[in-house]
Amino acid sequence: MSIDERIAERNPTAPDHAAADHLLVAALRAGEEAAFVAILERYQAPMVRLATLYVRERAVAEEVVQETWIGVLRGIDGFEERSSFKTWLFRILTNQAKRRGAREGRSVPFSALARAEADGSDPAVDPERFVPPGRENAGHWAAELTEWRQTPEDRFVSGETHARAKAAIAGLPPAQRAVITLRDVDGLTAEEVCQALDLTQGNQRVLLHRARSKVRGALERNGEEA
Amino acid sequence: MADADLVTTAAVDTDPDTLTCRQFVELVTDYLEGALSPDERARFETHLLGCDDCPIYLDQMRQTIRTLGALSEEGLAPAAKAELLTIFRDWNRG
Ligand SMILES: [Zn+2]
């Protein structure tokens, strides 16, 4: 059986990712420095961001990430590729970060934080934007929505929009900020985020929804002011 | 049936078969995550077809996600890179 066929058999839904992963892992095992540098550049920043959820200082987070890379190099020969490389990488990182956080005596009640933030009512859109109950068309948009422009030079690739999105993320409650950063900025899957943050699938989705809705609201206000 | 969700009365709020826009916006993430039940998904898509504004809202959420994806900061500090390359070369000689 060819490598491609074996990859397709193992992961029929995402053959491209699996193939890319497989090449990456093979290059790492072969000791190709360029492959290691490519992986570092892709994952270092997200890994440091994730580690800072567990340890207090950035310098410690960077140490945790360095320990993770050492673990990756030591373990790469034994990595059986049953999960994606990224999932494996972040699992090692999460374990290292949790151990280090525990040793530092930093209790991160992340699950309690997450539960609190996922609880209660937190409408995606200001209720004032909808026709109030008892009126004709109750619950429908009170005013028409305006489409956002989508040309290549539009505001969504502009520095100003990026600054606005970053500010919106910075203003989110911590659990929502963590989830939207890992999912939408760093590109982790729902499963990877649940594993890294000890979240249920349901809470992960609620936190993501609340976070995305707020960032959308911030970008909408941006458009109205422009 | 095509414009069932355009029925004009407060009954829309309580009709279990249709969604209001206010309910729709709360389901967007579950929809994008593939987490709606077949029934919920059907109601969501029915609303999408019959509403002028919610398709715009859904599109704005998609653009928001794209914008966030473009924020990803890659790369690493030269000092960290140098240290990690030393580790790599030691391992490689290993
Ligand atoms: Zn609608």
Side-chain angles (χ1 to χ4, degrees), chain A residues 33 66 124 146 183 209 216, chain B residues 26 29 33 60 75 83 89:
Chain A
E33 193 167 302
Q66 191 179 96
T146 315
R183 282 295 311 275
H209 180 64
R216 189 211 68 91
Chain B
E26 299 299 347
T29 302
E33 297 278 291
Q60 290 176 351
E83 266 183 71
R89 285 168 191 156

Side-chain angles (χ1 to χ4, degrees), chain A residues 53 110 113 117 169 171-181 197 207:
Chain A
L53 295 173
F110 196 86
L113 207 63
E117 281 183 37
I169 290 176
L172 292 171
Q176 292 177 30
R177 190 171 63 229
V179 169
I180 198 171
T181 301
L197 302 180
L207 293 169

Side-chain angles (χ1 to χ4, degrees), chain A residues 41-43 45-46 49 162 166 181 184-187, chain B residues 66-75:
Chain A
E41 283 180 346
R42 187 149 149 219
Y43 293 118
R49 271 199 292 276
H162 285 187
K166 279 184 189 167
T181 301
D184 290 342
V185 182
D186 296 334
Chain B
R66 273 205 297 281
T67 300
L68 291 168
L71 292 182
S72 175
E73 283 165 24
E74 298 191 346

Side-chain angles (χ1 to χ4, degrees), chain A residues 8 30 37 44-45 48 52 60 66 69-70 80 100 104-105 127 131 145 149 153 164 171 179 188 190 203 205 208 223:
Chain A
V37 171
Q44 179 81 1
V48 172
T52 53
V60 179
Q66 191 179 96
W69 288 120
I70 293 169
E80 292 178 17
R100 186 62 177 263
E104 283 201 326
V131 176
L145 287 191
R149 283 166 291 148
E153 64 276 18
R164 182 62 69 115
V179 169
L188 269 64
N203 275 354
R205 268 200 313 277
L208 181 65

Side-chain angles (χ1 to χ4, degrees), chain B residues 16-93:
Chain B
D17 293 328
T18 60
L19 291 175
T20 62
C21 304
R22 193 172 164 178
Q23 292 166 328
F24 177 95
V25 299
E26 299 299 347
L27 296 176
V28 166
T29 302
D30 283 355
Y31 175 73
L32 294 175
E33 297 278 291
L36 293 178
S37 70
D39 278 3
E40 289 172 322
R41 188 185 168 89
R43 283 200 294 161
F44 185 93
E45 287 173 343
T46 302
H47 184 94
L48 202 55
L49 287 171
C51 183
D52 289 336
D53 296 296
C54 287
I56 296 174
Y57 184 87
L58 180 62
D59 188 53
Q60 290 176 351
M61 284 291 269
R62 287 196 164 114
Q63 288 192 57
T64 299
I65 296 163
R66 273 205 297 281
T67 300
L68 291 168
L71 292 182
S72 175
E73 283 165 24
E74 298 191 346
L76 67 166
K81 183 174 175 176
E83 266 183 71
L84 289 164
L85 279 179
T86 304
I87 290 167
F88 181 80
R89 285 168 191 156
D90 285 348
W91 168 79
N92 213 3
R93 271 195 298 270

Side-chain angles (χ1 to χ4, degrees), chain A residues 9-90:
Chain A
E9 189 180 61
R10 187 158 42 227
N11 195 348
T13 54
D16 290 341
H17 284 149
D21 253 23
H22 190 74
L23 290 175
L24 201 68
V25 170
L28 252 195
R29 280 183 181 142
E32 283 175 33
E33 193 167 302
F36 185 63
V37 171
I39 295 169
L40 285 180
E41 283 180 346
R42 187 149 149 219
Y43 293 118
Q44 179 81 1
M47 287 167 76
V48 172
R49 271 199 292 276
L50 177 59
T52 53
L53 295 173
Y54 290 93
V55 295
R56 208 173 277 106
E57 288 163 33
R58 193 182 162 90
V60 179
E62 284 171 356
E63 273 175 41
V64 166
V65 171
Q66 191 179 96
E67 286 163 20
T68 300
W69 288 120
I70 293 169
V72 165
L73 293 175
R74 284 197 188 132
I76 192 74
D77 279 333
F79 171 48
E80 292 178 17
E81 297 181 64
R82 288 208 195 94
S83 64
S84 75
F85 175 76
K86 181 159 64 82
T87 297
W88 182 66
L89 176 67
F90 278 88

